[in-house]
Amino acid sequence: MPHLHDGLLLRSPADVDPAGLWVEDVPAASTSAAAERRRATELSRPALDSRRVLLRYDDGETDLVVVTRREISVSTAAGPVWGLGDGSGPTSRLDAIDETGDETGWLVALLVTLQRYDPESAPVVGTPRGAFSADLTGPVRAVRLVPTDQPAAVGLLFCENRVEGEYLPCLAPPFPLTVSVYHDDRGPRLRLDHSAALVAPEIAEQFARHLRLVHRQVLRRRDAEVADVLLMDDNEVLRVAELGRPAPPPIPTASTIHAAFQRVALSTPDSIAVTDGTDQLSYRALDERSDVVARSLRAHGVRDGDRVGVCLDRSTSFVVTALAILKAGATYVPMDPAHPADRRNYTAEDAGLTLVVTPEIVLPQEESVLGDADGDTAAYIIYTSGSTGRPKGVVVPHRNVIALLDATRDEYELRPGDVWTWFHSSAFDFSVWEIWGCLLTGGRLVVVPHAVSREPDAFRDLLKSERVTVLSQTPSAFAQLLSVDHADLAVRLVVFGGEPLDARILLRWFDRHPETRCRVVNMFGITETTVHVTAQTVTRADALAGSRSVGPALPGWHLYVLDASGRLVPPGVAGEICVGGAGVAAGYFRREELTAQRFLPDPFRPGVLYRSGDLGRLRPDGRLDHLGRIDNQVKIRGFRIELDEIRSVLLEDPRVSAATVVVRRDDPGDAASARIDGYVVLIEPADTREIRERAARILPDHMVPSTITALSELPLTVNGKIDQERLPHPAPAPSVVDSTPTGDELADQLRTIWSTVLGVPVEIDDDFFELGGNSLYAVRIGAAMRAEGLPTVRLRELYRHPTVRGVASAVRGS
Amino acid sequence: MRLTGKVVLVTGAARGLGRAIAVRCAQEGADLVLSDVCADVGGVPYPLGSRSQLDHTAKLCRHEGSAVLVEETDVRSGESVRRMVASAIDRFGQIDVVVNNAGIAAPSGRPVHGITEDEWSLMIDVDLTGAWRVMREVAEGMCERRRGSIINVASTAGLVGYRHFAGYVAAKHGIVGLTKAAALDYAPMKVRVNAVCPGSVRDVPEFEGAMLAEIARALEVPVHEHEKTFVEAQPMNALIEPDDVAAAVVYLASDDAKQVTGSMLTVDGGFSAR
């Protein structure tokens, strides 16, 4: 293994302040991963004083590493979450400003700007004198700077004196984003130096602009509430509002689903419309048969605007029935027979169904007139489970479905001759795309029976024998297909939906189906916005980069990203994804209050906006990054945890083909008992401890899963998404945390000292270094022990036994 | 820009070392002919470079400003190689540099008597004869133009032996011999022939390299253990990066190396020095 010199500040021993602290490491093999990690931790701590670290290896060799005092304590953690950087190396930009003002004004302006960029974290700004934070709840004038020892990703270098010539505040930016304010011979200057790897130039540019605007308000609007300080001026707000609307809406080609269907049926009457293995129907036959059923429904008492349940398996009958319900002027409410009876009964009751069509039902064969429907008539109601409360019915009008097809037909060349699968539960709105996407563009719809959808081999055989060309899948279901040989398929378009896509799983697909022959599109969508909202064609480059982009809004749809107060946030900044335009549903069925909460007037255009509850950010080019559910944002011991990021690291392991991560609490009332459990599907037999070790080398400590459990496959819900309820409880973690008092007075006393000094809860077997300990903390612990009248422990004893238990026994031994 | 105006043909360019070489040549101003087999080959126990990977390499090179021709070529077939060279001449009018990079590392992992007739033939066919087929097609044109540089990607396995890799070692020693003989054949015509001998090259995710992983698999040891063994055996204590090899290729391709022919340039951190 390479030794530890990389990236450290090395000096010859002569450079060292003799007062520097000596730290002697315990002998351990240079290749021991644990020792390696411990040393790296020790050496990367920002130090207030120079110190020399003697690293001993068990082969008798030593390395003397000198960690010099760092001028400014720099965050070694990842840079700003809103950075969007993808370049590398330092970059700088320079703006003329009106006045330099004073340092405090700029610190306050920076803190306020930072808080807007990342409301979840307490803002910290570093300076050469140390870092500052502030309570930003009151008016601007009341903001008081508070010193903090939290790491700062953004720093301010303020130069009071006017400097002659061209002033260069820093050669290498000491912070990922370094703001310098000074006055040179050309006037007052605001300079931004940033690492382009962490902060994209566009983002740095807007940050400087926002900072200047905020600074002006800090100086001039001192009585304003901090919460009311504006980040963007009106022009910029309009520009950002326009950014989420990349294409104008297409002109509607029909008013209702059945009218659009009939047009297709007239042009290709003899093509097969739907086939389910036992039965197949041509477009003409489907049209005629649904007419008959529609008349029967009317004769049975179904009237315009009524809701009719369809409790049928995926089949030609389902399609006939749904189309008949639309022709009868009514609204279809799909009820998956695979769902529990309770859920179906709830749906039937809540939707106030006139009738439920089941396989047993016999409808009167009578003549009757068809119903009347227009674009605003509800076409279907699909029930979605929120994270809280009972499922709610989302009412989607005909025109939304027409708009969805108008937005995609040309771009994806959806044509007669295509063969689509109907894979997903009818009660999951991805099926709306599968059924009507196919039937309104003249394709042939191949019903995938439930059993086949659960068997990757059988599903592959079906794709092959039916020569399927358009495949819509949740990423979890697709991952199962990838686990079998999938070379000989005719698929020309894969559409992902329903779940976030980790693009890396696609590399294996592309190897068999190059992008020139099969287009892969990731669509982000929500039931409340009619299946899809955005679309991103995924390439090998995206897959290699693990891109999170879900692309720009579909033509006719538009996006805003809003903060908690409903203000637009700038590109790059995370907020709630809100969707407007042609796909927004009519609301929740008979839930006026909830509808009013989630469906709001669009502040920038006529129409309604749906608040998705999903976290995302717009990129400067108008594409959306989807960052997960807002209510899934998890904090463990104060750290924000990105479950997707952990999953993504697990997936990078060449031995892992699928992965998921959940957070569990042993004690639901105690946040400290929260723990991350990882689940993986292995390509080849492997020790899950090694997989955890690998993840621990990449992830910050607080994001390393406590357990990794190998499963033969990840359990899926009927909708093809990962079913967290059915993930087994993990095997007990290797090191059991003992959180109760130990009964050992000395140990408890030491725990208190450690946790006071380290600022984190300490258990008796916690590793000093993993808790964030370093040589300075060790010295402070020594001082605190002396203050309590305890015998002190030599540093090397602490390093040799870096736990409370170890130190306690060393104290007893001395 | 050391390769401005040169047309460089790289075989096995879909991923790994081939991709790194192609991108580096593009950065140095070359136009490129990129080929790979884009199919699995019976007898090779791992997936070979795919069309999608080859297209991605081409995209990366075009991003650097190069004109790129992509060819699906099986170096086991003289006809396939002839077609590739003809298309390249058709498109660019000349080929200035050939990088014979296509190669396989497995089937391996057994002692000499454990290798089957077919396995032996396959290894020699791809790793040795493949390079000869490409040279045969391009040499005449280069000789006529009195310029050209052929770079064969050999290996430290072309200089020393490795246990349980007899086929690979024999093929790579063959490449070294072929390089020396060809250098003498073509020296009067100012066509240079050299080899690079990389040590263990790290599988870099962005290049989608798979060689080290496949060698480890052939030896039935975990990749990281295999890496460790190599790092420990190598005087500079590091794996070779694909870019390190690409830089050596660029040197041999460039006019900086105008007096260099018949040489074996090791890029192995000192491995073969002891």
Side-chain angles (χ1 to χ4, degrees), chain A residues 31 507 510-512 514-516 539-541 544 684 690, chain B residues 19 40 50-53 55-56 59 205 208 217 224 232:
Chain A
T31 51
L507 291 173
F510 287 138
D511 284 341
R512 291 284 172 264
E515 296 101 301
T516 43
T539 64
R540 188 168 202 100
L544 283 168
E684 55 192 82
E690 282 177 16
Chain B
R19 182 179 288 174
D40 287 345
S50 69
R51 178 69 197 215
S52 166
Q53 288 175 321
D55 286 340
H56 184 64
K59 202 187 221 175
E208 304 186 70
R217 190 193 300 270
H224 62 274
E232 280 166 0

PDB file of all heavy atoms in Angstrom, chain A residues 31 507 510-512 514-516 539-541 544 684 690, chain B residues 19 40 50-53 55-56 59 205 208 217 224 232:
ATOM      1  N   THR A  31      -0.034  -2.286   5.963  1.00  0.00           N
ATOM      2  CA  THR A  31      -1.131  -2.669   5.081  1.00  0.00           C
ATOM      3  C   THR A  31      -2.418  -2.928   5.844  1.00  0.00           C
ATOM      4  O   THR A  31      -3.426  -3.264   5.247  1.00  0.00           O
ATOM      5  CB  THR A  31      -0.750  -3.959   4.337  1.00  0.00           C
ATOM      6  OG1 THR A  31      -0.314  -4.895   5.297  1.00  0.00           O
ATOM      7  CG2 THR A  31       0.338  -3.699   3.314  1.00  0.00           C
ATOM      8  N   LEU A 507     -25.150   0.131 -17.772  1.00  0.00           N
ATOM      9  CA  LEU A 507     -23.958  -0.200 -18.554  1.00  0.00           C
ATOM     10  C   LEU A 507     -24.102  -1.569 -19.194  1.00  0.00           C
ATOM     11  O   LEU A 507     -23.798  -1.759 -20.365  1.00  0.00           O
ATOM     12  CB  LEU A 507     -22.711  -0.149 -17.670  1.00  0.00           C
ATOM     13  CG  LEU A 507     -22.321   1.257 -17.216  1.00  0.00           C
ATOM     14  CD1 LEU A 507     -21.192   1.205 -16.199  1.00  0.00           C
ATOM     15  CD2 LEU A 507     -21.915   2.116 -18.410  1.00  0.00           C
ATOM     16  N   PHE A 510     -26.494  -1.365 -22.146  1.00  0.00           N
ATOM     17  CA  PHE A 510     -25.896  -0.717 -23.323  1.00  0.00           C
ATOM     18  C   PHE A 510     -24.923  -1.665 -24.032  1.00  0.00           C
ATOM     19  O   PHE A 510     -24.783  -1.617 -25.249  1.00  0.00           O
ATOM     20  CB  PHE A 510     -25.162   0.560 -22.926  1.00  0.00           C
ATOM     21  CG  PHE A 510     -26.076   1.703 -22.572  1.00  0.00           C
ATOM     22  CD1 PHE A 510     -25.802   2.515 -21.476  1.00  0.00           C
ATOM     23  CD2 PHE A 510     -27.190   1.985 -23.346  1.00  0.00           C
ATOM     24  CE1 PHE A 510     -26.633   3.576 -21.153  1.00  0.00           C
ATOM     25  CE2 PHE A 510     -28.025   3.049 -23.031  1.00  0.00           C
ATOM     26  CZ  PHE A 510     -27.742   3.839 -21.933  1.00  0.00           C
ATOM     27  N   ASP A 511     -24.219  -2.493 -23.267  1.00  0.00           N
ATOM     28  CA  ASP A 511     -23.272  -3.415 -23.893  1.00  0.00           C
ATOM     29  C   ASP A 511     -23.983  -4.360 -24.860  1.00  0.00           C
ATOM     30  O   ASP A 511     -23.387  -4.816 -25.832  1.00  0.00           O
ATOM     31  CB  ASP A 511     -22.529  -4.229 -22.824  1.00  0.00           C
ATOM     32  CG  ASP A 511     -21.469  -3.391 -22.130  1.00  0.00           C
ATOM     33  OD1 ASP A 511     -21.074  -2.355 -22.707  1.00  0.00           O
ATOM     34  OD2 ASP A 511     -21.050  -3.759 -21.019  1.00  0.00           O
ATOM     35  N   ARG A 512     -25.230  -4.663 -24.568  1.00  0.00           N
ATOM     36  CA  ARG A 512     -25.985  -5.549 -25.452  1.00  0.00           C
ATOM     37  C   ARG A 512     -26.840  -4.760 -26.437  1.00  0.00           C
ATOM     38  O   ARG A 512     -27.167  -5.245 -27.520  1.00  0.00           O
ATOM     39  CB  ARG A 512     -26.901  -6.471 -24.627  1.00  0.00           C
ATOM     40  CG  ARG A 512     -26.143  -7.490 -23.813  1.00  0.00           C
ATOM     41  CD  ARG A 512     -25.627  -8.612 -24.722  1.00  0.00           C
ATOM     42  NE  ARG A 512     -24.738  -9.512 -23.998  1.00  0.00           N
ATOM     43  CZ  ARG A 512     -23.412  -9.404 -24.014  1.00  0.00           C
ATOM     44  NH1 ARG A 512     -22.824  -8.422 -24.691  1.00  0.00           N
ATOM     45  NH2 ARG A 512     -22.658 -10.255 -23.354  1.00  0.00           N
ATOM     46  N   PRO A 514     -26.719  -1.102 -27.901  1.00  0.00           N
ATOM     47  CA  PRO A 514     -26.092   0.220 -27.980  1.00  0.00           C
ATOM     48  C   PRO A 514     -27.142   1.323 -28.169  1.00  0.00           C
ATOM     49  O   PRO A 514     -28.215   1.077 -28.722  1.00  0.00           O
ATOM     50  CB  PRO A 514     -25.167   0.123 -29.187  1.00  0.00           C
ATOM     51  CG  PRO A 514     -25.289  -1.244 -29.724  1.00  0.00           C
ATOM     52  CD  PRO A 514     -26.243  -2.033 -28.926  1.00  0.00           C
ATOM     53  N   GLU A 515     -26.786   2.514 -27.711  1.00  0.00           N
ATOM     54  CA  GLU A 515     -27.718   3.645 -27.759  1.00  0.00           C
ATOM     55  C   GLU A 515     -28.207   3.932 -29.172  1.00  0.00           C
ATOM     56  O   GLU A 515     -29.292   4.486 -29.349  1.00  0.00           O
ATOM     57  CB  GLU A 515     -27.045   4.911 -27.214  1.00  0.00           C
ATOM     58  CG  GLU A 515     -26.644   4.847 -25.754  1.00  0.00           C
ATOM     59  CD  GLU A 515     -25.169   4.564 -25.593  1.00  0.00           C
ATOM     60  OE1 GLU A 515     -24.708   3.508 -26.098  1.00  0.00           O
ATOM     61  OE2 GLU A 515     -24.468   5.376 -24.971  1.00  0.00           O
ATOM     62  N   THR A 516     -27.390   3.571 -30.164  1.00  0.00           N
ATOM     63  CA  THR A 516     -27.821   3.831 -31.538  1.00  0.00           C
ATOM     64  C   THR A 516     -28.989   2.921 -31.930  1.00  0.00           C
ATOM     65  O   THR A 516     -29.724   3.221 -32.846  1.00  0.00           O
ATOM     66  CB  THR A 516     -26.659   3.567 -32.514  1.00  0.00           C
ATOM     67  OG1 THR A 516     -26.012   2.351 -32.113  1.00  0.00           O
ATOM     68  CG2 THR A 516     -25.663   4.709 -32.502  1.00  0.00           C
ATOM     69  N   THR A 539     -27.409   8.225 -21.650  1.00  0.00           N
ATOM     70  CA  THR A 539     -26.335   7.683 -22.484  1.00  0.00           C
ATOM     71  C   THR A 539     -25.334   6.944 -21.601  1.00  0.00           C
ATOM     72  O   THR A 539     -25.412   7.007 -20.383  1.00  0.00           O
ATOM     73  CB  THR A 539     -25.578   8.809 -23.200  1.00  0.00           C
ATOM     74  OG1 THR A 539     -24.955   9.612 -22.189  1.00  0.00           O
ATOM     75  CG2 THR A 539     -26.507   9.658 -24.030  1.00  0.00           C
ATOM     76  N   ARG A 540     -24.399   6.295 -22.271  1.00  0.00           N
ATOM     77  CA  ARG A 540     -23.342   5.622 -21.525  1.00  0.00           C
ATOM     78  C   ARG A 540     -22.590   6.621 -20.643  1.00  0.00           C
ATOM     79  O   ARG A 540     -22.216   6.309 -19.518  1.00  0.00           O
ATOM     80  CB  ARG A 540     -22.377   4.949 -22.499  1.00  0.00           C
ATOM     81  CG  ARG A 540     -21.380   4.081 -21.800  1.00  0.00           C
ATOM     82  CD  ARG A 540     -20.595   3.171 -22.714  1.00  0.00           C
ATOM     83  NE  ARG A 540     -20.102   2.081 -21.918  1.00  0.00           N
ATOM     84  CZ  ARG A 540     -20.635   0.874 -21.858  1.00  0.00           C
ATOM     85  NH1 ARG A 540     -21.669   0.585 -22.607  1.00  0.00           N
ATOM     86  NH2 ARG A 540     -20.157  -0.049 -21.066  1.00  0.00           N
ATOM     87  N   ALA A 541     -22.401   7.833 -21.160  1.00  0.00           N
ATOM     88  CA  ALA A 541     -21.688   8.842 -20.365  1.00  0.00           C
ATOM     89  C   ALA A 541     -22.452   9.125 -19.068  1.00  0.00           C
ATOM     90  O   ALA A 541     -21.856   9.230 -17.997  1.00  0.00           O
ATOM     91  CB  ALA A 541     -21.514  10.125 -21.179  1.00  0.00           C
ATOM     92  N   LEU A 544     -22.003   6.150 -16.750  1.00  0.00           N
ATOM     93  CA  LEU A 544     -20.681   6.118 -16.121  1.00  0.00           C
ATOM     94  C   LEU A 544     -20.576   7.170 -15.038  1.00  0.00           C
ATOM     95  O   LEU A 544     -19.919   6.972 -14.028  1.00  0.00           O
ATOM     96  CB  LEU A 544     -19.589   6.339 -17.176  1.00  0.00           C
ATOM     97  CG  LEU A 544     -19.276   5.127 -18.044  1.00  0.00           C
ATOM     98  CD1 LEU A 544     -18.407   5.528 -19.222  1.00  0.00           C
ATOM     99  CD2 LEU A 544     -18.579   4.045 -17.219  1.00  0.00           C
ATOM    100  N   GLU A 684     -21.627 -12.617  -7.270  1.00  0.00           N
ATOM    101  CA  GLU A 684     -20.887 -13.822  -6.941  1.00  0.00           C
ATOM    102  C   GLU A 684     -20.830 -13.889  -5.423  1.00  0.00           C
ATOM    103  O   GLU A 684     -20.970 -12.865  -4.748  1.00  0.00           O
ATOM    104  CB  GLU A 684     -19.468 -13.731  -7.525  1.00  0.00           C
ATOM    105  CG  GLU A 684     -18.751 -12.477  -7.080  1.00  0.00           C
ATOM    106  CD  GLU A 684     -17.463 -12.210  -7.882  1.00  0.00           C
ATOM    107  OE1 GLU A 684     -17.554 -11.666  -8.988  1.00  0.00           O
ATOM    108  OE2 GLU A 684     -16.407 -12.554  -7.375  1.00  0.00           O
ATOM    109  N   GLU A 690     -16.781  -7.508   3.766  1.00  0.00           N
ATOM    110  CA  GLU A 690     -15.872  -6.844   2.822  1.00  0.00           C
ATOM    111  C   GLU A 690     -16.600  -5.738   2.072  1.00  0.00           C
ATOM    112  O   GLU A 690     -16.025  -4.697   1.756  1.00  0.00           O
ATOM    113  CB  GLU A 690     -15.332  -7.861   1.808  1.00  0.00           C
ATOM    114  CG  GLU A 690     -14.228  -8.719   2.366  1.00  0.00           C
ATOM    115  CD  GLU A 690     -13.770  -9.762   1.344  1.00  0.00           C
ATOM    116  OE1 GLU A 690     -14.090  -9.600   0.140  1.00  0.00           O
ATOM    117  OE2 GLU A 690     -13.122 -10.727   1.767  1.00  0.00           O
TER     118      GLU A 690
ATOM    119  N   ARG B  19      -9.207   2.770 -24.676  1.00  0.00           N
ATOM    120  CA  ARG B  19      -9.915   4.047 -24.556  1.00  0.00           C
ATOM    121  C   ARG B  19      -8.960   5.138 -24.088  1.00  0.00           C
ATOM    122  O   ARG B  19      -8.973   6.260 -24.606  1.00  0.00           O
ATOM    123  CB  ARG B  19     -11.093   3.915 -23.588  1.00  0.00           C
ATOM    124  CG  ARG B  19     -11.895   5.202 -23.474  1.00  0.00           C
ATOM    125  CD  ARG B  19     -13.086   5.079 -22.541  1.00  0.00           C
ATOM    126  NE  ARG B  19     -14.160   4.277 -23.110  1.00  0.00           N
ATOM    127  CZ  ARG B  19     -15.266   3.921 -22.441  1.00  0.00           C
ATOM    128  NH1 ARG B  19     -15.400   4.278 -21.178  1.00  0.00           N
ATOM    129  NH2 ARG B  19     -16.205   3.204 -23.026  1.00  0.00           N
ATOM    130  N   ASP B  40     -19.170 -10.894 -28.136  1.00  0.00           N
ATOM    131  CA  ASP B  40     -18.442 -11.819 -27.279  1.00  0.00           C
ATOM    132  C   ASP B  40     -17.786 -12.878 -28.164  1.00  0.00           C
ATOM    133  O   ASP B  40     -18.298 -13.208 -29.228  1.00  0.00           O
ATOM    134  CB  ASP B  40     -19.397 -12.452 -26.281  1.00  0.00           C
ATOM    135  CG  ASP B  40     -19.780 -11.429 -25.213  1.00  0.00           C
ATOM    136  OD1 ASP B  40     -19.075 -10.401 -25.127  1.00  0.00           O
ATOM    137  OD2 ASP B  40     -20.762 -11.640 -24.515  1.00  0.00           O
ATOM    138  N   SER B  50     -17.923  -3.621 -26.042  1.00  0.00           N
ATOM    139  CA  SER B  50     -19.208  -3.573 -26.739  1.00  0.00           C
ATOM    140  C   SER B  50     -19.256  -2.370 -27.677  1.00  0.00           C
ATOM    141  O   SER B  50     -18.439  -1.450 -27.587  1.00  0.00           O
ATOM    142  CB  SER B  50     -20.345  -3.469 -25.728  1.00  0.00           C
ATOM    143  OG  SER B  50     -20.326  -2.200 -25.102  1.00  0.00           O
ATOM    144  N   ARG B  51     -20.234  -2.380 -28.552  1.00  0.00           N
ATOM    145  CA  ARG B  51     -20.436  -1.271 -29.482  1.00  0.00           C
ATOM    146  C   ARG B  51     -20.708   0.019 -28.715  1.00  0.00           C
ATOM    147  O   ARG B  51     -20.220   1.091 -29.052  1.00  0.00           O
ATOM    148  CB  ARG B  51     -21.616  -1.603 -30.407  1.00  0.00           C
ATOM    149  CG  ARG B  51     -21.956  -0.496 -31.383  1.00  0.00           C
ATOM    150  CD  ARG B  51     -20.853  -0.357 -32.427  1.00  0.00           C
ATOM    151  NE  ARG B  51     -20.946   0.915 -33.125  1.00  0.00           N
ATOM    152  CZ  ARG B  51     -20.645   1.072 -34.415  1.00  0.00           C
ATOM    153  NH1 ARG B  51     -20.223   0.053 -35.134  1.00  0.00           N
ATOM    154  NH2 ARG B  51     -20.745   2.250 -34.972  1.00  0.00           N
ATOM    155  N   SER B  52     -21.513  -0.118 -27.674  1.00  0.00           N
ATOM    156  CA  SER B  52     -21.832   1.073 -26.879  1.00  0.00           C
ATOM    157  C   SER B  52     -20.569   1.668 -26.261  1.00  0.00           C
ATOM    158  O   SER B  52     -20.374   2.890 -26.242  1.00  0.00           O
ATOM    159  CB  SER B  52     -22.840   0.691 -25.798  1.00  0.00           C
ATOM    160  OG  SER B  52     -22.927   1.691 -24.836  1.00  0.00           O
ATOM    161  N   GLN B  53     -19.696   0.782 -25.793  1.00  0.00           N
ATOM    162  CA  GLN B  53     -18.441   1.275 -25.200  1.00  0.00           C
ATOM    163  C   GLN B  53     -17.560   1.921 -26.264  1.00  0.00           C
ATOM    164  O   GLN B  53     -16.945   2.961 -26.040  1.00  0.00           O
ATOM    165  CB  GLN B  53     -17.692   0.108 -24.540  1.00  0.00           C
ATOM    166  CG  GLN B  53     -18.361  -0.372 -23.272  1.00  0.00           C
ATOM    167  CD  GLN B  53     -17.697  -1.606 -22.694  1.00  0.00           C
ATOM    168  OE1 GLN B  53     -17.283  -2.505 -23.420  1.00  0.00           O
ATOM    169  NE2 GLN B  53     -17.612  -1.668 -21.373  1.00  0.00           N
ATOM    170  N   ASP B  55     -18.585   3.303 -29.050  1.00  0.00           N
ATOM    171  CA  ASP B  55     -19.204   4.592 -29.403  1.00  0.00           C
ATOM    172  C   ASP B  55     -18.894   5.648 -28.338  1.00  0.00           C
ATOM    173  O   ASP B  55     -18.722   6.825 -28.649  1.00  0.00           O
ATOM    174  CB  ASP B  55     -20.721   4.447 -29.545  1.00  0.00           C
ATOM    175  CG  ASP B  55     -21.115   3.727 -30.836  1.00  0.00           C
ATOM    176  OD1 ASP B  55     -20.284   3.680 -31.762  1.00  0.00           O
ATOM    177  OD2 ASP B  55     -22.239   3.213 -30.921  1.00  0.00           O
ATOM    178  N   HIS B  56     -18.858   5.199 -27.104  1.00  0.00           N
ATOM    179  CA  HIS B  56     -18.566   6.163 -26.036  1.00  0.00           C
ATOM    180  C   HIS B  56     -17.127   6.667 -26.144  1.00  0.00           C
ATOM    181  O   HIS B  56     -16.873   7.862 -25.978  1.00  0.00           O
ATOM    182  CB  HIS B  56     -18.814   5.526 -24.673  1.00  0.00           C
ATOM    183  CG  HIS B  56     -18.625   6.487 -23.540  1.00  0.00           C
ATOM    184  ND1 HIS B  56     -19.425   7.600 -23.355  1.00  0.00           N
ATOM    185  CD2 HIS B  56     -17.703   6.531 -22.541  1.00  0.00           C
ATOM    186  CE1 HIS B  56     -19.013   8.272 -22.302  1.00  0.00           C
ATOM    187  NE2 HIS B  56     -17.972   7.655 -21.787  1.00  0.00           N
ATOM    188  N   LYS B  59     -17.085   9.175 -28.776  1.00  0.00           N
ATOM    189  CA  LYS B  59     -17.686  10.428 -28.325  1.00  0.00           C
ATOM    190  C   LYS B  59     -16.665  11.247 -27.528  1.00  0.00           C
ATOM    191  O   LYS B  59     -16.555  12.463 -27.704  1.00  0.00           O
ATOM    192  CB  LYS B  59     -18.876  10.066 -27.442  1.00  0.00           C
ATOM    193  CG  LYS B  59     -19.913  11.128 -27.284  1.00  0.00           C
ATOM    194  CD  LYS B  59     -20.898  10.645 -26.239  1.00  0.00           C
ATOM    195  CE  LYS B  59     -22.329  10.936 -26.564  1.00  0.00           C
ATOM    196  NZ  LYS B  59     -23.232  10.331 -25.573  1.00  0.00           N
ATOM    197  N   PRO B 205     -12.554   3.109 -13.516  1.00  0.00           N
ATOM    198  CA  PRO B 205     -13.980   3.039 -13.861  1.00  0.00           C
ATOM    199  C   PRO B 205     -14.344   3.876 -15.094  1.00  0.00           C
ATOM    200  O   PRO B 205     -15.115   3.430 -15.936  1.00  0.00           O
ATOM    201  CB  PRO B 205     -14.677   3.567 -12.613  1.00  0.00           C
ATOM    202  CG  PRO B 205     -13.708   3.337 -11.500  1.00  0.00           C
ATOM    203  CD  PRO B 205     -12.338   3.432 -12.103  1.00  0.00           C
ATOM    204  N   GLU B 208     -13.627   2.008 -17.946  1.00  0.00           N
ATOM    205  CA  GLU B 208     -14.288   0.705 -17.916  1.00  0.00           C
ATOM    206  C   GLU B 208     -13.316  -0.454 -18.117  1.00  0.00           C
ATOM    207  O   GLU B 208     -13.661  -1.457 -18.748  1.00  0.00           O
ATOM    208  CB  GLU B 208     -15.427   0.645 -18.936  1.00  0.00           C
ATOM    209  CG  GLU B 208     -16.451   1.755 -18.744  1.00  0.00           C
ATOM    210  CD  GLU B 208     -17.646   1.605 -19.664  1.00  0.00           C
ATOM    211  OE1 GLU B 208     -18.417   0.681 -19.438  1.00  0.00           O
ATOM    212  OE2 GLU B 208     -17.791   2.403 -20.604  1.00  0.00           O
ATOM    213  N   ARG B 217      -9.705 -12.940 -11.652  1.00  0.00           N
ATOM    214  CA  ARG B 217     -10.718 -13.984 -11.695  1.00  0.00           C
ATOM    215  C   ARG B 217     -10.103 -15.301 -12.199  1.00  0.00           C
ATOM    216  O   ARG B 217     -10.394 -16.373 -11.673  1.00  0.00           O
ATOM    217  CB  ARG B 217     -11.871 -13.557 -12.605  1.00  0.00           C
ATOM    218  CG  ARG B 217     -13.074 -14.475 -12.506  1.00  0.00           C
ATOM    219  CD  ARG B 217     -14.032 -14.203 -13.643  1.00  0.00           C
ATOM    220  NE  ARG B 217     -14.517 -12.836 -13.643  1.00  0.00           N
ATOM    221  CZ  ARG B 217     -15.616 -12.459 -12.991  1.00  0.00           C
ATOM    222  NH1 ARG B 217     -16.332 -13.335 -12.324  1.00  0.00           N
ATOM    223  NH2 ARG B 217     -16.010 -11.213 -13.054  1.00  0.00           N
ATOM    224  N   HIS B 224      -8.828  -7.030  -5.064  1.00  0.00           N
ATOM    225  CA  HIS B 224      -7.970  -6.158  -4.243  1.00  0.00           C
ATOM    226  C   HIS B 224      -6.735  -6.912  -3.755  1.00  0.00           C
ATOM    227  O   HIS B 224      -5.665  -6.341  -3.586  1.00  0.00           O
ATOM    228  CB  HIS B 224      -8.760  -5.522  -3.098  1.00  0.00           C
ATOM    229  CG  HIS B 224      -9.331  -6.491  -2.128  1.00  0.00           C
ATOM    230  ND1 HIS B 224     -10.546  -7.087  -2.326  1.00  0.00           N
ATOM    231  CD2 HIS B 224      -8.850  -6.964  -0.964  1.00  0.00           C
ATOM    232  CE1 HIS B 224     -10.788  -7.895  -1.304  1.00  0.00           C
ATOM    233  NE2 HIS B 224      -9.780  -7.844  -0.474  1.00  0.00           N
ATOM    234  N   GLU B 232       2.913  -4.802  -4.264  1.00  0.00           N
ATOM    235  CA  GLU B 232       4.051  -5.165  -3.423  1.00  0.00           C
ATOM    236  C   GLU B 232       5.242  -5.631  -4.251  1.00  0.00           C
ATOM    237  O   GLU B 232       6.393  -5.411  -3.883  1.00  0.00           O
ATOM    238  CB  GLU B 232       3.625  -6.243  -2.423  1.00  0.00           C
ATOM    239  CG  GLU B 232       2.879  -5.627  -1.241  1.00  0.00           C
ATOM    240  CD  GLU B 232       2.159  -6.671  -0.403  1.00  0.00           C
ATOM    241  OE1 GLU B 232       2.231  -7.867  -0.742  1.00  0.00           O
ATOM    242  OE2 GLU B 232       1.518  -6.267   0.586  1.00  0.00           O
TER     243      GLU B 232
END
